[in-house]
Every structure is written in C-alpha cells, then in structure tokens.
Amino acid sequence: MTKFFMFLKHEFKANKMAFAIPFIIQGINLALALIILILVASKLIPANGTLTEGVHELFKEINVSIDSELSGIVIMIMGYIMTAMSVTIYGVLVGMIRSGTVLNYEIRMGYELFYRSLPISIWSRSGAKYLNSIVGAFIAAMGVALVNYVSAAIMLSTVFVDNGMVWTMLFQGMIAGFISTIFAAFLFGSIGFLLSAVFTKMALMKGAFILLITGFVELLLKAFGIKFLPIFSYLTGTIAKLLQPSSMIQTSIENAKDIQLLTPIPVSNFFHLEQLWIMLISVGLFVLSTIIYKHKTIEA
Amino acid sequence: MSTLEVKGVTKYYKKLCALDNVSLEIPQGRIIGLFGRNGAGKSTLMRCMLGLMHHQGDILLNGEKVKYSDTAIFEKIAFIPDVSALDKRIRVKDAIELVKTINPSWNEERFDKLFAKSNLPLKNKVSSLSKGMKTKLYLLLTLCLDVELLLLDEPTLGLDIQFRKEFFNSILGEFYNEKRTIIISTHQVEEVENILQDIIFIDEGKIILYDSIENINTIYRQITVPQTHKEAVQALKPLSMFEGLGNITAIVKGEIDLGDMLYTYTNPRISDLFLAMVGGTSD
C-alpha cells in the first residue's frame, strides 16, 4: 500500500496544475460576480441607504421574494444549481478531459519506460491514476462548490435576516447537486479513462467521433425497427439528467406551502438503483482500461 | 547458474522480425557490451529481457521465467532506456523520493556518495535540466539500486566526454561487483572496450557473436602486410580487408599461416571487428 500511496502522491504532484486550474477560474468568476453585484446594487441603493438595502432592491428587481417560505426553496435551488454546475463543469468535463489523457500521456511523452521500470504493478499505477484523475477532479469540483457555497451564503446572508436558514438551505441544495452529478462524473471520467487506454493520441476526439457514429447507427437501426444496445441514448440521457433538479428538490417545490425546509432530508432520498449501475459500469471500464493499458506495447 | 537465460526469443513488429530465435546465457559478475547497428534489435532484446514486451520463447532470471509486465523483476534488474524517459513535470527530489520509496533495492549510502558527486539541483524541475543533467539523474536513480543485473541502453547519451569517462571508469565501479552483471549498449565503443569482459554482436535480430574478450583476442587477429601480398591475405578468407598507405590491413579468424612472409598483428578493436562482421566501413 505504501507504493500505491506514494504513486498517488506522485501523480498529484505531476498533475497539480490541473487541480489548481478550477480554483483559479472559479476565483476569477467569483471576483467578477462580486464586482458586478456591488456595482449593480450600488446603483439601486435608496437615498441614505446601505449596500445591503441595494442588494434587497436588486432581489426585488429580479422578483425574488426575501420574506416568504419560498425563499428557502429558491436558496436551495441556487445551492443545487451552483454545485451541479461546478461538478458538471469541473468534475465531469475537466475530469473527462483529464482522464482522456491519463493513461496515454506518459506513452506519448516518452516517459512510460521510466514508470514501467519501477517495481510497482500496472494495476496499482492505473488505480492511482484513476483515483487521481476522476476522484481528484471530483474533489477539486467539490472544493469549487464549497467555495461557491461559502461565498453565496455570505452574500445572501446580507439579504436574509435568518442567516441560519440561508446556510442550511444552500447546504441542502449543494448536497443534492453533489449527489445527482457525482455518478455522472464517475461514468464520463471512466469513459475518458478507457479512451486514454485505447488511443495514444487525441483520445477524446476519437471517442466523440465513435459516439457520433454510434448515435447515427442507433438512429438508423431505430428507423428500421431493429433493437440495439442504446449506448448513445443512455449517455445523452445521463447528460439530460444532470440538467434536471433532483427529485428531492422537486418534492420540496411541490410541498412548498407546508414543507419544513429546515428539517434535514433523509439520506435515502438521494440514492437510487441507477447510481449503483453507474458505479459498476465505471469499475468495469477501469478494469478494461487497465487490461488494455497493460498490454500496450512500448515501442523500442 | 546463469543470471539470465534467453531461450529462442523471437519478436516481430507486424511483419518485421526484430529478434530472430535469440538464445544467450548471461552469467553473474560480467560486464557485457551489446553492439549492433541502429535497428539491429538491441533495445528490443533488452526490453524482452525485462518483460516489457510480448515475445515468443523464454527468458529466465535465476531459473525463473520472466513474465510479461511482471514489475517485481525491477527489484532485481535496473534499466536505463535509450530515450530521455524521465518525467519532465516533476522535480529532481520527487523523482528521487519516488524511486527510493517504491524500490526496496535502494541503497541510501551509495546514493549519498553518488549524489555528492552529481551537482544535481534537488528543487529544480526535470524539464529545466540539461540533457546531460537528466542523464546524470537517471544514472543516479539506477545506480543506487542493489540489483543483480543492470541494463544500460545508451547510458551516456548527451553527457560530455569528461563525465562519460568518469562514468565508465569510476562511477560504474561503485555499482559493480562479482555478483552483479552489467549489459551496456552504446555506440561509443571505444569508451567502454577497456571495461568489457564479454561482447555480444547483434545484427538483423540475430546474435552473430557472443564471446569473452579473452577468447576473441585468441580467435581474431588484425594483420598488416605490404600490398604486394594481397593474394596471400585473400587466401586466409579475411572478415575484412582494407588497403591504404602501401599496406593491407585485414581481420582474420583462426590460425594465420603466411609462410615466411613478414607481417605484424594486433588484437582487433571491437569497432573494427564489428564492422568486419556486419559489413560497412570504419567511417
């Protein structure tokens, strides 16, 4: 295990810029958002009013009620969207782009022989790379979501009197957003991982091309009434699910009048069987990727 | 018992035969030169020995079969490939820490000794090192391992002549003992011929010579005679013959019988013998 953790640490060091980039981008985004908010709010400050009152005016302008029970839902949805977007952008997209190069980068750059000459098994190396690229990107995305959460909670606390409610509702939204996207991050990251094992160059481009061809074939077969494993439909369906609020959020909206928004939502509400399938498929893709990677010839 | 046995190893790259039924027995405690032209199969042979490539035939290390991708072998064998294979994204200290932690054969005492001589900047990224420094780092990482077999594929590529001489005459000595075998593949034959005990010539995937320097010096001779005796030299069926400055220089195998003719002979240099066996010129 020492070797595995050493390699995990080594992988992190070799790729630390990839982890830093989401935070740098998000830092810039937040700074810009804050500047825009202050600028807009300062325009709306009533005579002799404060910046907080200006923000209140801004919320009124965009039809967000700040006193009703619905405000809690609005905040929760904000938390959900912020997290889902962070995880989608950084965890899924960045994770997929990162994992699309993870097994072929050293081969392409000519470093592979150095690593293959170390007494550490291919499975340990591949496992460390998988964790680093997919889970690592996901942790980075979660870090960005937390930064968003804290920033948004501080900003919204200037608007709402009940600070505890803001922090709790945003947090519930964040958890819902996190759970509804984590599995997609694993699935798409694992697909990128497989592509990096199969193709040495332009793995994602080639993967996207194959996916398009698959979609086209699926359409053709469907037109002729032939049943076929719906890979393209499954993937596009998963993307679509990412954009939908979770069932937990939907229930909250439907029961908005009497829901006790501050009551913690049961953990079981967050999980369903499809997530288990996604995890199993991801593990399968990891195993397949490692076998392909192991048998890849390093040219003399 | 041989340290390494290569039994009927054949390797194809698609239709190209890179190794053709190669068989070798490499004993303990030898320093062996592996020579061949570019594309002759040297690197492929080394990689097959390490289980880095699929091939036909068997390779045995201390009697045990070397399996494909069995990385445990690198606790017993160290290898420097012919490419600049060090990861340029990491720092020198990270590369050292990685090998030190992962390889149980690491010898800290030898590391301290060699590192003191190396002038390597610990905090620098590998990408910022010169080619020579990268090679030094790779050599340091490899020579600090207490392994039975060391495979060096163009180990001094990019190094200046001073360090190359230091490496072959002194640094390699820090590693070598009678229980360790070193196989060196290099084009700079002149720089290693003084330390070699055995020689392997490989051409078009076939081993055309594998013998000790001692035996080679008994079997092969380089003779020089006046040009007027060309026919007599040709009768010896020389491996190579070169005419110049009124003399003929030829490399011949076996006993020399030139009657009463006056001639001088020496042991052929490895590079000349190699060219004589595979063809080509000393240019």
Side-chain angles (χ1 to χ4, degrees), chain A residues 24 32 81 88 121 124 164 179 182 213 224 231-232 252 275 287:
Chain A
I24 295 167
L32 284 174
I81 292 170
T88 305
S121 77
S124 291
I179 289 170
I182 183 173
I213 297 286
F224 288 104
I231 300 168
F232 185 78
S252 300
Q275 292 162 342
V287 172

Side-chain angles (χ1 to χ4, degrees), chain B residues 47-59:
Chain B
R47 286 166 205 212
C48 287
M49 285 174 173
L50 296 161
L52 290 170
M53 277 180 169
H54 291 288
H55 56 79
Q56 294 163 29
D58 290 328
I59 290 172

Side-chain angles (χ1 to χ4, degrees), chain B:
Chain B
M1 190 201 290
S2 294
T3 295
L4 195 77
E5 285 173 78
V6 178
K7 289 182 173 176
V9 168
T10 299
K11 169 73 187 170
Y12 277 91
Y13 292 113
K14 292 179 184 166
K15 285 183 180 174
L16 177 79
C17 183
L19 292 177
D20 187 3
N21 198 23
V22 170
S23 292
L24 293 167
E25 279 192 25
I26 294 168
Q28 256 186 358
R30 306 293 288 178
I31 302 179
I32 303 162
L34 174 62
F35 304 109
R37 291 185 286 200
N38 289 335
K42 304 184 296 290
S43 297
T44 303
L45 177 60
M46 283 193 169
R47 286 166 205 212
C48 287
M49 285 174 173
L50 296 161
L52 290 170
M53 277 180 169
H54 291 288
H55 56 79
Q56 294 163 29
D58 290 328
I59 290 172
L60 295 102
L61 178 69
N62 296 330
E64 281 183 36
K65 196 173 171 181
V66 175
K67 292 174 196 154
Y68 174 76
S69 196
D70 179 8
T71 48
I73 200 175
F74 293 106
E75 292 178 13
K76 293 175 187 164
I77 305 181
F79 171 56
I80 298 186
D82 60 349
V83 286
S84 185
L86 276 175
D87 194 332
K88 293 176 184 66
R89 296 168 297 175
I90 56 173
R91 293 183 193 281
V92 171
K93 62 177 177 148
D94 297 331
I96 293 169
E97 192 192 1
L98 179 75
V99 178
K100 189 176 167 175
T101 313
I102 284 181
N103 205 322
S105 313
W106 183 265
N107 183 322
E108 189 69 22
E109 199 183 319
R110 197 181 309 133
F111 166 75
D112 290 338
K113 211 170 175 180
L114 293 175
F115 182 74
K117 290 182 187 173
S118 71
N119 295 325
L120 281 164
L122 275 178
K123 288 180 182 173
N124 282 31
K125 275 200 170 182
V126 173
S127 58
S128 71
L129 302 178
S130 65
K131 198 173 180 185
M133 288 299 254
K134 278 179 205 150
T135 312
K136 271 188 188 182
L137 174 60
Y138 216 145
L139 289 173
L140 177 80
L141 294 173
T142 310
L143 295 177
C144 290
L145 302 172
D146 280 332
V147 287
E148 297 165 25
L149 184 62
L150 177 62
L151 301 184
L152 304 169
D153 196 351
E154 292 292 347
T156 53
L157 207 68
L159 291 176
D160 58 47
I161 190 158
Q162 193 187 346
F163 189 84
R164 290 207 305 264
K165 281 202 173 291
E166 195 187 341
F167 172 72
F168 287 122
N169 299 331
S170 143
I171 297 173
L172 208 53
E174 297 279 350
F175 172 85
Y176 178 71
N177 66 33
E178 71 280 359
K179 286 183 179 170
R180 292 184 182 147
T181 295
I182 302 173
I183 302 177
I184 307 168
S185 164
T186 179
H187 286 110
Q188 285 146 344
V189 184
E190 295 79 12
E191 290 176 11
V192 292
E193 60 187 337
N194 293 334
I195 61 164
L196 296 179
Q197 295 165 326
D198 300 326
I199 284 172
I200 300 170
F201 286 167
I202 185 168
D203 193 43
E204 293 177 346
K206 287 181 182 161
I207 302 295
I208 55 169
L209 177 74
Y210 177 30
D211 213 335
S212 67
I213 294 276
E214 210 180 341
N215 280 346
I216 286 168
N217 286 340
T218 317
I219 299 167
Y220 298 94
R221 299 227 191 277
Q222 182 168 299
I223 59 166
T224 304
V225 295
Q227 267 183 1
T228 48
H229 299 298
K230 189 176 177 179
E231 281 179 12
V233 174
Q234 278 174 331
L236 295 172
K237 294 179 182 169
L239 297 171
S240 73
M241 206 163 79
F242 172 73
E243 293 178 49
L245 300 171
N247 287 324
I248 291 173
T249 303
I251 293 177
V252 292
K253 187 180 179 183
E255 291 298 313
I256 303 165
D257 184 9
L258 288 172
D260 297 334
M261 192 192 303
L262 283 176
Y263 66 93
T264 57
Y265 75 86
T266 55
N267 295 325
R269 296 178 68 174
I270 294 172
S271 52
D272 292 332
L273 181 61
F274 175 75
L275 290 171
M277 295 189 82
V278 303
T281 66
S282 52
D283 298 334

Side-chain angles (χ1 to χ4, degrees), chain A residues 27-42:
Chain A
I28 295 167
N29 285 348
L30 280 173
L32 284 174
L34 194 64
I35 291 165
I36 292 165
L37 183 71
I38 291 170
L39 283 175
V40 175
S42 60

Side-chain angles (χ1 to χ4, degrees), chain A residues 87-125:
Chain A
V87 179
T88 305
I89 294 167
Y90 300 117
V92 179
L93 296 180
V94 176
M96 191 173 178
I97 292 165
R98 276 260 303 115
S99 61
T101 59
V102 73
L103 288 178
N104 58 26
Y105 183 79
E106 280 93 359
I107 295 173
R108 225 171 45 232
M109 300 304 287
Y111 309 152
E112 187 66 13
L113 273 177
F114 170 67
Y115 291 109
R116 291 225 179 175
S117 310
L118 293 172
I120 177 169
S121 77
I122 296 266
W123 286 94
S124 291
R125 277 188 58 216

